[in-house]
């Protein structure tokens, strides 16, 4: 067969052209499935980081001058982490 990119004659089973390196298969088909999903790992990491930060603040509040304020922030972070988890589950079920 002939390379779609440069027109060089290449083997029928070749995956890429030996001369220009262009793929012989349709590039549109290969790229499509990767883009559809969001990044599940990113939101998971975000939740873990929020929980770790909340844990840290909770422990730091024991020796801090204003423990109430730190505990409030820690509570907000836990709440945010739970919200993200709920949103993830809701999105996945659709
Ligand atoms: Zn080529």
């Amino acid at each position: 067969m002939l390379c779609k990119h440069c027109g060089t004659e290449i083997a029928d089973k070749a995956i890429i052209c030996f001369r220009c390196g262009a793929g012989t298969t349709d590039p549109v088909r290969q790229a499509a499935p990767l883009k559809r999903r969001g990044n599940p790992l990113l939101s998971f990491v975000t939740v873990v980081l929020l929980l770790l930060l909340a844990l840290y603040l909770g422990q730091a509040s024991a020796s801090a001058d204003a423990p109430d304020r730190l505990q409030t922030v820690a509570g907000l972070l836990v709440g945010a982490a739970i919200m993200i988890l709920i949103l993830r589950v809701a999105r996945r079920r659709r």
Side-chain angles (χ1 to χ4, degrees), residues 67-84:
D68 288 348
R69 197 177 292 174
L70 281 178
Q71 278 177 353
T72 303
V73 173
L76 285 174
L77 287 173
V78 172
I82 291 171
M83 282 280 287
I84 291 172

Side-chain angles (χ1 to χ4, degrees), residues 12-78:
D12 288 349
K13 288 180 183 177
I15 298 168
I16 59 167
C17 168
F18 66 86
R19 197 179 214 187
C20 70
T24 55
T25 52
D26 191 359
V28 177
R29 274 190 203 165
Q30 291 178 328
L34 288 173
K35 272 198 171 181
R36 272 190 52 185
R37 276 196 213 166
N39 192 348
L41 191 68
L42 191 69
S43 53
F44 177 73
V45 168
T46 306
V47 169
V48 170
L49 281 177
L50 282 173
L51 288 175
L52 282 176
L53 194 61
L55 201 68
Y56 168 76
L57 285 175
Q59 286 196 335
S61 68
S63 58
D65 291 336
D68 288 348
R69 197 177 292 174
L70 281 178
Q71 278 177 353
T72 303
V73 173
L76 285 174
L77 287 173
V78 172

Side-chain angles (χ1 to χ4, degrees), residues 3 5-8 17 19-22:
C3 171
H5 192 250
C6 68
T8 304
C17 168
R19 197 179 214 187
C20 70

